[in-house]
Amino acid sequence: MKQIFKYGIIIASLFVIPSCEKGLGEINENKVDPTSLDPLFQLNFSIVNVSLPTSSVIYDMGIVQQIVSPNGGVLAGANFNQDNRSPLTSVWQTMYRNVIRNTRDVIKNSASAPDRANLKNMARILQAYTFMLLTDTQGDIPYSEAGLGFTEQNFLPKYDAQQAVYTDLIKELTEASAELNATGKIESGDLLYGGNIAQWKKFGYALLLRAGMRLTKVDAALAETTVKAAFAGGVILDNADNALIRHDVNYQNPIGGMLNGTEAANFFLAKPFVDELKNTNDPRLSAIAIRYVGATSGPGQTPASGNTASNMQNGMPMGKDNSTAPAAATADGLASYYEYSQVDRRRMAKPASPAFMVTAGQSNLLLAEATQRGWITASPAAVYFANGIRAHMEQLATFDAASAVPSGSITTYLAATPLVPTTALQQINTQYWIASFLNGTEAWANFRRSGFPALTANPYVGDIPAGTFIRRITYPVSEISVNTTNVNEAIGRQGADRMDTRVWWDK
């Protein structure tokens, strides 16, 4: 009887165990976390992260003598001609980790979905913008194998020569811009243009125009054909089509955040920039600048002491540090160097200020140069020149209503600033320098390409020969340590990993 009872228990358990396992399977199934991700979300994440990091102030804007600091430590960079690799890593890491890695994914995942063709081409354009920024900054970079760590387990990508990078960027921008189709699926949730295909096309062709103009010194023939193709496609010529990243209290402009944070009192408008605007009665100076009259310290830079009048502005001379800036301020009749003019962080450089990637002002000015070179004949160079200046002046209202330039002031300035054929290239590219204010990477790239404005090199003796400019940014320490073989190959091809080594198009 006991034996029968034992067998009965065993048989009963055979029916109970499967039942329990079935229940456990349902319990272990995750019904909350998503199993797939709409690639549009990844594109938007890339858009949010493509804003320039704070290192563009420390280096790019300092190199082109728009914003400078007399302080060292973490702020040491272009002010001291110093190869301070610590802050520079942020550009590399932000663009590769947060942008390129995701745009690669978007392109791959949307390629297999015919109805997401527009999304794929939007990602190609944003990716091209990011790669252009990286190669203009460093020269040879990981390109063809970049961003493939997750999908192909390629964690040590090779470096492509800048010439090859530009060849492919021109192809990508040409194809992606042409393939955007207003009759296809509209990605209305995109953060840049809300899925507006016409505006995405203009963005793509405006980047193509920029890429073509980069090549004026190394391949004039390719530059001309690329510029003509971009113009025929239709570039950004109106501020309504500007490519900009919008920020708010949750997604702050990195530069605005820094200039309103602990470093608010430590960055000043450079003398060459202030003098250019002041000496030409440029109404943009009062829209951009503020001087805290009588300030002897950071806390003394109060709104009550702020003065935005153009005739009150005074830029900090280049080449000054904490020990020499006080004497320079005294010589300029200031209470301290804290009284030098700054970009107005309560108007132009707020944490929620937009970050502009490509603008109508820039594109019009590039077309002015292309026309001056005889490549474009649709309108006179003087027309594009005036349109570019006007567009940038009107663009300033986007930062804050208090930065709006009155229409009468614009008309007066344009009448006093005609384009003169004998000095046209200098005039056009000096205006491009002004129109690219707060977009340091673009101002620096065009300065190297064109040679204008005619700046005097920062006299501070640092890591480059006296009397020279910083021509590129060095590779991150992390790359040198981990991706050593590929970095060394790039250095052997391009030249020493120094700040005075020129990139391919900078001849």
Side-chain angles (χ1 to χ4, degrees):
M1 186 69 180
K2 289 181 180 179
Q3 193 73 7
I4 294 173
F5 180 72
K6 182 191 296 183
Y7 289 145
I9 293 175
I10 293 173
I11 293 171
S13 68
L14 296 176
F15 291 95
V16 172
I17 291 172
S19 176
C20 292
E21 287 179 346
K22 182 178 180 181
L24 286 172
E26 292 177 353
I27 292 173
N28 289 331
E29 182 182 349
N30 191 329
K31 298 181 180 181
V32 178
D33 290 342
T35 57
S36 63
L37 179 66
D38 188 330
L40 176 60
F41 296 153
Q42 289 179 279
L43 178 67
N44 283 338
F45 183 79
S46 299
I47 292 170
V48 169
N49 281 278
V50 83
S51 290
L52 293 173
T54 56
S55 61
S56 66
V57 180
I58 298 171
Y59 274 91
D60 306 349
M61 296 183 200
I63 297 169
V64 296
Q65 302 180 12
Q66 292 178 331
I67 294 178
V68 72
S69 174
N71 298 333
V74 296
L75 301 185
N79 53 349
F80 302 152
N81 283 325
Q82 183 173 330
D83 188 1
N84 185 0
R85 301 195 186 209
S86 177
L88 294 174
T89 304
S90 61
V91 177
W92 187 278
Q93 291 184 343
T94 297
M95 298 306 163
Y96 275 115
R97 293 179 181 178
N98 296 342
V99 182
I100 299 300
R101 182 172 63 176
N102 283 284
T103 54
R104 287 285 200 205
D105 250 13
V106 174
I107 294 167
K108 179 178 184 295
N109 293 333
S110 57
S112 58
D115 66 327
R116 308 303 292 272
N118 280 333
L119 179 61
K120 179 187 72 174
N121 289 306
M122 288 153 58
R124 291 171 75 186
I125 291 171
L126 186 69
Q127 181 170 275
Y129 168 83
T130 309
F131 273 129
M132 193 184 302
L133 186 155
L134 285 163
T135 190
D136 288 346
T137 300
Q138 256 102 9
D140 292 8
I141 57 168
Y143 179 74
S144 58
E145 295 182 358
L148 303 178
F150 179 75
T151 56
E152 298 184 19
Q153 287 71 57
N154 184 347
F155 303 111
L156 301 175
K158 72 174 184 179
Y159 281 54
D160 294 88
Q162 187 178 64
Q163 183 174 5
V165 173
Y166 257 89
T167 298
D168 199 65
L169 287 177
I170 289 171
K171 178 190 77 69
E172 282 291 289
L173 289 168
T174 300
E175 291 179 358
S177 301
E179 291 174 15
L180 285 167
N181 187 351
T183 64
K185 178 179 172 60
I186 301 301
E187 305 288 348
S188 58
D190 104 74
L191 293 178
L192 190 57
Y193 286 123
N196 188 309
I197 296 301
Q199 289 181 310
W200 270 100
K201 276 181 172 287
K202 290 177 182 179
F203 177 34
Y205 284 121
L207 282 175
L208 186 63
L209 169 64
R210 179 180 288 183
M213 293 302 292
R214 283 285 197 275
L215 309 184
T216 52
K217 290 195 291 188
V218 290
D219 193 336
L222 179 58
E224 180 178 356
T225 57
T226 303
V227 166
K228 286 180 175 178
F231 180 74
V235 302
I236 296 173
L237 294 176
D238 188 276
N239 283 331
D241 299 319
N242 285 344
L244 70 151
I245 302 100
R246 297 164 181 83
H247 297 98
D248 57 25
V249 294
N250 296 312
Y251 297 97
Q252 294 190 358
N253 185 320
I255 294 172
M258 179 181 73
L259 296 180
N260 283 275
T262 56
E263 305 300 344
N266 297 322
F267 285 94
F268 303 89
L269 290 175
K271 180 176 174 61
F273 185 67
V274 172
D275 284 357
E276 173 63 31
L277 299 180
K278 195 173 181 178
N279 294 339
T280 57
N281 296 314
D282 194 319
R284 285 172 286 193
L285 183 56
S286 61
I288 291 170
I290 189 167
R291 179 179 148 212
Y292 296 101
V293 179
T296 57
S297 65
Q301 295 175 342
T302 62
S305 67
N307 192 313
T308 61
S310 294
N311 64 345
M312 291 293 292
Q313 304 312 313
N314 203 325
M316 176 175 280
M318 295 299 297
K320 304 302 177 184
D321 57 23
N322 288 129
S323 64
T324 57
T330 299
D332 286 332
L334 306 181
S336 76
Y337 70 73
Y338 289 99
E339 199 180 338
Y340 279 117
S341 297
Q342 295 182 305
V343 57
D344 195 337
R345 56 184 177 270
R346 296 177 179 88
R347 292 183 298 156
M348 286 285 296
K350 298 179 290 188
S353 289
F356 289 88
M357 295 186 285
V358 184
T359 68
Q362 292 169 330
S363 293
N364 273 289
L365 289 167
L366 290 180
L367 289 178
E369 180 176 342
T371 301
Q372 187 66 26
R373 291 177 179 274
W375 298 348
I376 302 294
T377 58
S379 296
V383 171
Y384 291 119
F385 178 70
N387 288 347
I389 296 172
R390 178 181 293 278
H392 182 247
M393 288 186 174
E394 293 176 347
Q395 175 192 325
L396 296 183
T398 310
F399 291 95
D400 193 281
S403 285
V405 179
S407 58
S409 298
I410 297 175
T411 301
T412 300
Y413 179 81
L414 291 176
T417 315
L419 185 65
V420 180
T422 55
T423 58
L425 293 184
Q426 179 172 350
Q427 286 182 274
I428 292 166
N429 287 290
T430 297
Q431 287 295 332
Y432 196 93
W433 174 62
I434 300 169
S436 300
F437 181 67
L438 293 181
N439 185 345
T441 57
E442 183 56 24
W444 178 37
N446 196 68
F447 166 68
R448 286 175 287 162
R449 176 195 73 84
S450 69
F452 297 114
L455 301 172
T456 300
N458 180 1
Y460 203 96
V461 178
D463 295 328
I464 58 174
T468 62
F469 286 92
I470 296 173
R471 313 304 298 195
R472 66 177 287 274
I473 298 303
T474 52
Y475 294 124
V477 174
S478 57
E479 276 293 293
I480 296 172
S481 301
V482 176
N483 199 8
T484 311
T485 300
N486 289 317
V487 172
N488 286 338
E489 181 185 1
I491 293 171
R493 178 175 58 235
Q494 176 173 253
D497 188 25
R498 290 175 48 87
M499 296 193 303
D500 57 337
T501 295
R502 292 173 181 258
V503 300
W504 165 71
W505 53 253
D506 178 22
K507 302 298 182 186

